[in-house]
Amino acid sequence: LRESFPQDPVVAEEDAHDLRLPGQTDQLKMITNHVKSATGDSSISQEDILNWIDHGNGIPSNQRFWTLDPIDGTKGFLRGDQYAICLALIEGGDVKIGIIACPALEIDGSVGHLFVAEKGQGAWRKSLHDDTTSFTRIRVDARSVAEGSLIQSFEASHGNHSAQRAVAKEIGLNSVINMDSQAKYSMVASGNAALYLRLSSHSEKIWDHAAGAVLVEEAG
């Protein structure tokens, strides 16, 4: 983003404040070495790592900015369960593009999917691991309510599970899926869940919902 859209602010969940603390020297060194190994670029410095992370400290603009969550669903990631990498473009207060990568999400017998949506152009999915596949159009579940599922946060603290189950029962949803991250939006957009419900007093952040919201909207 910094190279392709240098004028666009990026508003991200993470910053490098803790990694700059004196007690994090070994951790920063380990991260730098890991990035060098993963990219094959031995010239990457610790300061490069810190500056890349802090590029997400942008200030939202009324005109145009990006919002990023590099690991949405941290607890799911640590458990080896669902997590997502989420990016969205906001212009004039409206989400124009949403991109969600779900490396651990299984759909139609394959694991790892990339979801993309553009305002007014629809929503699409392709495999993260099979470069021979192309994007296919996705749509929300068109079945009857009784055949669908409620999907909600895995963590009970992120919503009122009992109230959400009561709502699901009232409208005829007979099954409930608990899942971390914006992978929940991907499940709804691809027709694998009928409703994502989050009844909570939790303070919501733009990077937790922007990409997923436009994905579901564009999937119908």
PDB file of all heavy atoms in Angstrom, residues 3 8 10 23 35 38 46 56 67 69 74 84 87 95 115 121 143 149 152 167-168 182 184 189 191 194-195 209:
ATOM      1  N   GLU A   3       3.809   1.645  -1.203  1.00  0.00           N
ATOM      2  CA  GLU A   3       4.449   1.832  -2.499  1.00  0.00           C
ATOM      3  C   GLU A   3       3.442   2.206  -3.585  1.00  0.00           C
ATOM      4  O   GLU A   3       3.721   3.054  -4.434  1.00  0.00           O
ATOM      5  CB  GLU A   3       5.190   0.552  -2.896  1.00  0.00           C
ATOM      6  CG  GLU A   3       6.392   0.240  -2.010  1.00  0.00           C
ATOM      7  CD  GLU A   3       7.045  -1.071  -2.389  1.00  0.00           C
ATOM      8  OE1 GLU A   3       6.541  -1.730  -3.332  1.00  0.00           O
ATOM      9  OE2 GLU A   3       8.052  -1.444  -1.767  1.00  0.00           O
ATOM     10  N   ASP A   8      -2.200   7.598   0.558  1.00  0.00           N
ATOM     11  CA  ASP A   8      -3.340   7.092   1.320  1.00  0.00           C
ATOM     12  C   ASP A   8      -2.948   6.747   2.759  1.00  0.00           C
ATOM     13  O   ASP A   8      -2.031   5.939   2.975  1.00  0.00           O
ATOM     14  CB  ASP A   8      -3.892   5.817   0.672  1.00  0.00           C
ATOM     15  CG  ASP A   8      -4.582   6.094  -0.645  1.00  0.00           C
ATOM     16  OD1 ASP A   8      -4.696   7.271  -1.029  1.00  0.00           O
ATOM     17  OD2 ASP A   8      -5.008   5.111  -1.293  1.00  0.00           O
ATOM     18  N   VAL A  10      -3.179   4.697   6.214  1.00  0.00           N
ATOM     19  CA  VAL A  10      -3.575   3.337   6.580  1.00  0.00           C
ATOM     20  C   VAL A  10      -3.869   3.330   8.079  1.00  0.00           C
ATOM     21  O   VAL A  10      -3.006   3.687   8.889  1.00  0.00           O
ATOM     22  CB  VAL A  10      -2.473   2.307   6.252  1.00  0.00           C
ATOM     23  CG1 VAL A  10      -2.909   0.911   6.704  1.00  0.00           C
ATOM     24  CG2 VAL A  10      -2.160   2.314   4.767  1.00  0.00           C
ATOM     25  N   GLY A  23      13.008  -3.840  26.632  1.00  0.00           N
ATOM     26  CA  GLY A  23      12.896  -5.249  26.987  1.00  0.00           C
ATOM     27  C   GLY A  23      12.478  -6.153  25.848  1.00  0.00           C
ATOM     28  O   GLY A  23      12.429  -7.386  26.013  1.00  0.00           O
ATOM     29  N   VAL A  35      11.217 -12.572   9.239  1.00  0.00           N
ATOM     30  CA  VAL A  35      10.805 -11.875   8.021  1.00  0.00           C
ATOM     31  C   VAL A  35      11.875 -12.007   6.938  1.00  0.00           C
ATOM     32  O   VAL A  35      11.570 -12.209   5.761  1.00  0.00           O
ATOM     33  CB  VAL A  35      10.498 -10.392   8.319  1.00  0.00           C
ATOM     34  CG1 VAL A  35      10.217  -9.632   7.024  1.00  0.00           C
ATOM     35  CG2 VAL A  35       9.313 -10.275   9.252  1.00  0.00           C
ATOM     36  N   ALA A  38      11.476 -15.473   5.526  1.00  0.00           N
ATOM     37  CA  ALA A  38      10.246 -15.643   4.755  1.00  0.00           C
ATOM     38  C   ALA A  38      10.306 -14.928   3.407  1.00  0.00           C
ATOM     39  O   ALA A  38       9.744 -15.404   2.420  1.00  0.00           O
ATOM     40  CB  ALA A  38       9.056 -15.140   5.562  1.00  0.00           C
ATOM     41  N   GLN A  46      15.864  -4.130  11.550  1.00  0.00           N
ATOM     42  CA  GLN A  46      14.875  -4.029  12.617  1.00  0.00           C
ATOM     43  C   GLN A  46      14.070  -2.740  12.487  1.00  0.00           C
ATOM     44  O   GLN A  46      12.856  -2.727  12.733  1.00  0.00           O
ATOM     45  CB  GLN A  46      15.571  -4.096  13.976  1.00  0.00           C
ATOM     46  CG  GLN A  46      16.207  -5.442  14.263  1.00  0.00           C
ATOM     47  CD  GLN A  46      16.838  -5.517  15.645  1.00  0.00           C
ATOM     48  OE1 GLN A  46      16.665  -4.622  16.460  1.00  0.00           O
ATOM     49  NE2 GLN A  46      17.583  -6.580  15.901  1.00  0.00           N
ATOM     50  N   GLY A  56       0.697   1.773   9.812  1.00  0.00           N
ATOM     51  CA  GLY A  56      -0.729   1.686  10.095  1.00  0.00           C
ATOM     52  C   GLY A  56      -1.226   2.714  11.094  1.00  0.00           C
ATOM     53  O   GLY A  56      -2.380   2.639  11.541  1.00  0.00           O
ATOM     54  N   THR A  67      -8.124   0.615   5.889  1.00  0.00           N
ATOM     55  CA  THR A  67      -8.088   0.093   7.248  1.00  0.00           C
ATOM     56  C   THR A  67      -7.673  -1.382   7.195  1.00  0.00           C
ATOM     57  O   THR A  67      -8.109  -2.132   6.320  1.00  0.00           O
ATOM     58  CB  THR A  67      -9.435   0.275   7.977  1.00  0.00           C
ATOM     59  OG1 THR A  67      -9.302  -0.153   9.338  1.00  0.00           O
ATOM     60  CG2 THR A  67     -10.552  -0.502   7.315  1.00  0.00           C
ATOM     61  N   ASP A  69      -6.525  -5.022   9.465  1.00  0.00           N
ATOM     62  CA  ASP A  69      -6.316  -5.865  10.646  1.00  0.00           C
ATOM     63  C   ASP A  69      -5.444  -7.034  10.196  1.00  0.00           C
ATOM     64  O   ASP A  69      -5.913  -7.926   9.492  1.00  0.00           O
ATOM     65  CB  ASP A  69      -7.641  -6.369  11.215  1.00  0.00           C
ATOM     66  CG  ASP A  69      -7.468  -6.960  12.608  1.00  0.00           C
ATOM     67  OD1 ASP A  69      -6.331  -7.351  12.953  1.00  0.00           O
ATOM     68  OD2 ASP A  69      -8.458  -7.031  13.363  1.00  0.00           O
ATOM     69  N   THR A  74      -7.209 -12.974  16.959  1.00  0.00           N
ATOM     70  CA  THR A  74      -5.898 -13.372  17.509  1.00  0.00           C
ATOM     71  C   THR A  74      -5.987 -14.657  18.321  1.00  0.00           C
ATOM     72  O   THR A  74      -5.118 -15.536  18.207  1.00  0.00           O
ATOM     73  CB  THR A  74      -5.328 -12.241  18.375  1.00  0.00           C
ATOM     74  OG1 THR A  74      -5.328 -11.019  17.630  1.00  0.00           O
ATOM     75  CG2 THR A  74      -3.905 -12.561  18.804  1.00  0.00           C
ATOM     76  N   ALA A  84      -8.241 -14.180  10.286  1.00  0.00           N
ATOM     77  CA  ALA A  84      -8.343 -13.581   8.960  1.00  0.00           C
ATOM     78  C   ALA A  84      -7.428 -12.372   8.852  1.00  0.00           C
ATOM     79  O   ALA A  84      -7.111 -11.719   9.851  1.00  0.00           O
ATOM     80  CB  ALA A  84      -9.782 -13.162   8.671  1.00  0.00           C
ATOM     81  N   LEU A  87      -8.564  -6.211   4.944  1.00  0.00           N
ATOM     82  CA  LEU A  87      -8.192  -4.911   4.400  1.00  0.00           C
ATOM     83  C   LEU A  87      -9.408  -4.301   3.711  1.00  0.00           C
ATOM     84  O   LEU A  87     -10.136  -4.985   3.003  1.00  0.00           O
ATOM     85  CB  LEU A  87      -7.055  -5.070   3.387  1.00  0.00           C
ATOM     86  CG  LEU A  87      -6.547  -3.811   2.676  1.00  0.00           C
ATOM     87  CD1 LEU A  87      -5.834  -2.888   3.668  1.00  0.00           C
ATOM     88  CD2 LEU A  87      -5.602  -4.196   1.543  1.00  0.00           C
ATOM     89  N   VAL A  95     -17.456   2.245   2.400  1.00  0.00           N
ATOM     90  CA  VAL A  95     -16.510   1.162   2.118  1.00  0.00           C
ATOM     91  C   VAL A  95     -16.629   0.771   0.655  1.00  0.00           C
ATOM     92  O   VAL A  95     -17.685   0.335   0.198  1.00  0.00           O
ATOM     93  CB  VAL A  95     -16.766  -0.065   3.016  1.00  0.00           C
ATOM     94  CG1 VAL A  95     -15.704  -1.132   2.755  1.00  0.00           C
ATOM     95  CG2 VAL A  95     -16.785   0.321   4.486  1.00  0.00           C
ATOM     96  N   PHE A 115     -11.312 -13.765  -0.204  1.00  0.00           N
ATOM     97  CA  PHE A 115     -12.585 -13.150  -0.547  1.00  0.00           C
ATOM     98  C   PHE A 115     -12.350 -11.691  -0.921  1.00  0.00           C
ATOM     99  O   PHE A 115     -11.615 -10.971  -0.230  1.00  0.00           O
ATOM    100  CB  PHE A 115     -13.558 -13.221   0.629  1.00  0.00           C
ATOM    101  CG  PHE A 115     -13.895 -14.620   1.046  1.00  0.00           C
ATOM    102  CD1 PHE A 115     -13.076 -15.306   1.932  1.00  0.00           C
ATOM    103  CD2 PHE A 115     -15.023 -15.263   0.557  1.00  0.00           C
ATOM    104  CE1 PHE A 115     -13.381 -16.601   2.326  1.00  0.00           C
ATOM    105  CE2 PHE A 115     -15.335 -16.553   0.940  1.00  0.00           C
ATOM    106  CZ  PHE A 115     -14.511 -17.221   1.830  1.00  0.00           C
ATOM    107  N   GLN A 121     -19.939  -4.079  -7.634  1.00  0.00           N
ATOM    108  CA  GLN A 121     -19.397  -5.047  -8.599  1.00  0.00           C
ATOM    109  C   GLN A 121     -19.516  -6.492  -8.139  1.00  0.00           C
ATOM    110  O   GLN A 121     -19.126  -7.403  -8.863  1.00  0.00           O
ATOM    111  CB  GLN A 121     -17.921  -4.722  -8.878  1.00  0.00           C
ATOM    112  CG  GLN A 121     -17.690  -3.343  -9.456  1.00  0.00           C
ATOM    113  CD  GLN A 121     -18.370  -3.153 -10.796  1.00  0.00           C
ATOM    114  OE1 GLN A 121     -18.360  -4.043 -11.640  1.00  0.00           O
ATOM    115  NE2 GLN A 121     -18.980  -1.992 -10.994  1.00  0.00           N
ATOM    116  N   ARG A 143     -31.565 -20.272   0.701  1.00  0.00           N
ATOM    117  CA  ARG A 143     -32.457 -21.312   1.204  1.00  0.00           C
ATOM    118  C   ARG A 143     -33.439 -20.728   2.217  1.00  0.00           C
ATOM    119  O   ARG A 143     -33.329 -19.584   2.636  1.00  0.00           O
ATOM    120  CB  ARG A 143     -31.646 -22.429   1.863  1.00  0.00           C
ATOM    121  CG  ARG A 143     -30.686 -23.144   0.926  1.00  0.00           C
ATOM    122  CD  ARG A 143     -29.845 -24.130   1.696  1.00  0.00           C
ATOM    123  NE  ARG A 143     -29.030 -23.470   2.708  1.00  0.00           N
ATOM    124  CZ  ARG A 143     -28.305 -24.118   3.612  1.00  0.00           C
ATOM    125  NH1 ARG A 143     -28.315 -25.429   3.634  1.00  0.00           N
ATOM    126  NH2 ARG A 143     -27.574 -23.443   4.482  1.00  0.00           N
ATOM    127  N   SER A 149     -28.018 -21.239   9.306  1.00  0.00           N
ATOM    128  CA  SER A 149     -27.353 -21.243  10.604  1.00  0.00           C
ATOM    129  C   SER A 149     -27.072 -19.819  11.059  1.00  0.00           C
ATOM    130  O   SER A 149     -26.780 -18.934  10.252  1.00  0.00           O
ATOM    131  CB  SER A 149     -26.022 -22.004  10.528  1.00  0.00           C
ATOM    132  OG  SER A 149     -26.207 -23.342  10.155  1.00  0.00           O
ATOM    133  N   GLN A 152     -21.805 -16.791  15.171  1.00  0.00           N
ATOM    134  CA  GLN A 152     -21.485 -15.814  16.202  1.00  0.00           C
ATOM    135  C   GLN A 152     -20.038 -15.980  16.644  1.00  0.00           C
ATOM    136  O   GLN A 152     -19.369 -16.953  16.294  1.00  0.00           O
ATOM    137  CB  GLN A 152     -22.427 -15.970  17.396  1.00  0.00           C
ATOM    138  CG  GLN A 152     -22.319 -17.311  18.093  1.00  0.00           C
ATOM    139  CD  GLN A 152     -23.310 -17.479  19.240  1.00  0.00           C
ATOM    140  OE1 GLN A 152     -24.134 -16.617  19.509  1.00  0.00           O
ATOM    141  NE2 GLN A 152     -23.235 -18.603  19.935  1.00  0.00           N
ATOM    142  N   VAL A 167     -32.687 -15.166  19.689  1.00  0.00           N
ATOM    143  CA  VAL A 167     -33.101 -14.519  18.450  1.00  0.00           C
ATOM    144  C   VAL A 167     -33.127 -15.537  17.309  1.00  0.00           C
ATOM    145  O   VAL A 167     -34.076 -15.587  16.516  1.00  0.00           O
ATOM    146  CB  VAL A 167     -32.171 -13.341  18.104  1.00  0.00           C
ATOM    147  CG1 VAL A 167     -32.481 -12.814  16.701  1.00  0.00           C
ATOM    148  CG2 VAL A 167     -32.305 -12.228  19.123  1.00  0.00           C
ATOM    149  N   ALA A 168     -32.067 -16.345  17.227  1.00  0.00           N
ATOM    150  CA  ALA A 168     -31.988 -17.358  16.170  1.00  0.00           C
ATOM    151  C   ALA A 168     -33.173 -18.312  16.248  1.00  0.00           C
ATOM    152  O   ALA A 168     -33.800 -18.647  15.231  1.00  0.00           O
ATOM    153  CB  ALA A 168     -30.678 -18.124  16.287  1.00  0.00           C
ATOM    154  N   GLN A 182     -13.340 -12.160  11.147  1.00  0.00           N
ATOM    155  CA  GLN A 182     -14.245 -11.805  10.062  1.00  0.00           C
ATOM    156  C   GLN A 182     -14.470 -12.968   9.086  1.00  0.00           C
ATOM    157  O   GLN A 182     -15.185 -12.805   8.093  1.00  0.00           O
ATOM    158  CB  GLN A 182     -13.719 -10.573   9.310  1.00  0.00           C
ATOM    159  CG  GLN A 182     -13.880  -9.288  10.106  1.00  0.00           C
ATOM    160  CD  GLN A 182     -13.498  -8.056   9.323  1.00  0.00           C
ATOM    161  OE1 GLN A 182     -14.129  -7.722   8.321  1.00  0.00           O
ATOM    162  NE2 GLN A 182     -12.444  -7.380   9.780  1.00  0.00           N
ATOM    163  N   LYS A 184     -16.398 -15.025   9.813  1.00  0.00           N
ATOM    164  CA  LYS A 184     -17.858 -15.140   9.954  1.00  0.00           C
ATOM    165  C   LYS A 184     -18.565 -14.436   8.794  1.00  0.00           C
ATOM    166  O   LYS A 184     -19.548 -14.943   8.241  1.00  0.00           O
ATOM    167  CB  LYS A 184     -18.302 -14.549  11.293  1.00  0.00           C
ATOM    168  CG  LYS A 184     -17.803 -15.321  12.509  1.00  0.00           C
ATOM    169  CD  LYS A 184     -18.361 -14.781  13.799  1.00  0.00           C
ATOM    170  CE  LYS A 184     -17.802 -13.439  14.191  1.00  0.00           C
ATOM    171  NZ  LYS A 184     -16.361 -13.484  14.549  1.00  0.00           N
ATOM    172  N   ALA A 189     -21.371 -14.496   3.461  1.00  0.00           N
ATOM    173  CA  ALA A 189     -21.304 -14.056   2.056  1.00  0.00           C
ATOM    174  C   ALA A 189     -21.278 -15.237   1.085  1.00  0.00           C
ATOM    175  O   ALA A 189     -21.791 -15.139  -0.029  1.00  0.00           O
ATOM    176  CB  ALA A 189     -20.080 -13.175   1.838  1.00  0.00           C
ATOM    177  N   GLY A 191     -22.757 -18.102   1.558  1.00  0.00           N
ATOM    178  CA  GLY A 191     -23.943 -18.937   1.694  1.00  0.00           C
ATOM    179  C   GLY A 191     -23.808 -20.075   2.672  1.00  0.00           C
ATOM    180  O   GLY A 191     -24.639 -20.984   2.680  1.00  0.00           O
ATOM    181  N   ALA A 194     -26.521 -18.122   7.582  1.00  0.00           N
ATOM    182  CA  ALA A 194     -27.602 -17.217   7.192  1.00  0.00           C
ATOM    183  C   ALA A 194     -27.546 -15.877   7.902  1.00  0.00           C
ATOM    184  O   ALA A 194     -28.019 -14.871   7.373  1.00  0.00           O
ATOM    185  CB  ALA A 194     -28.946 -17.883   7.474  1.00  0.00           C
ATOM    186  N   LEU A 195     -26.963 -15.844   9.109  1.00  0.00           N
ATOM    187  CA  LEU A 195     -27.007 -14.624   9.911  1.00  0.00           C
ATOM    188  C   LEU A 195     -25.795 -14.548  10.824  1.00  0.00           C
ATOM    189  O   LEU A 195     -25.449 -15.529  11.494  1.00  0.00           O
ATOM    190  CB  LEU A 195     -28.285 -14.603  10.765  1.00  0.00           C
ATOM    191  CG  LEU A 195     -28.409 -13.473  11.798  1.00  0.00           C
ATOM    192  CD1 LEU A 195     -28.553 -12.121  11.095  1.00  0.00           C
ATOM    193  CD2 LEU A 195     -29.607 -13.723  12.724  1.00  0.00           C
ATOM    194  N   HIS A 209     -14.751  -4.765  11.028  1.00  0.00           N
ATOM    195  CA  HIS A 209     -16.012  -4.985  10.320  1.00  0.00           C
ATOM    196  C   HIS A 209     -16.059  -4.458   8.888  1.00  0.00           C
ATOM    197  O   HIS A 209     -16.887  -4.914   8.106  1.00  0.00           O
ATOM    198  CB  HIS A 209     -17.165  -4.351  11.109  1.00  0.00           C
ATOM    199  CG  HIS A 209     -17.357  -4.934  12.470  1.00  0.00           C
ATOM    200  ND1 HIS A 209     -17.963  -6.145  12.693  1.00  0.00           N
ATOM    201  CD2 HIS A 209     -16.991  -4.467  13.704  1.00  0.00           C
ATOM    202  CE1 HIS A 209     -17.979  -6.409  13.984  1.00  0.00           C
ATOM    203  NE2 HIS A 209     -17.404  -5.409  14.618  1.00  0.00           N
TER     204      HIS A 209
END
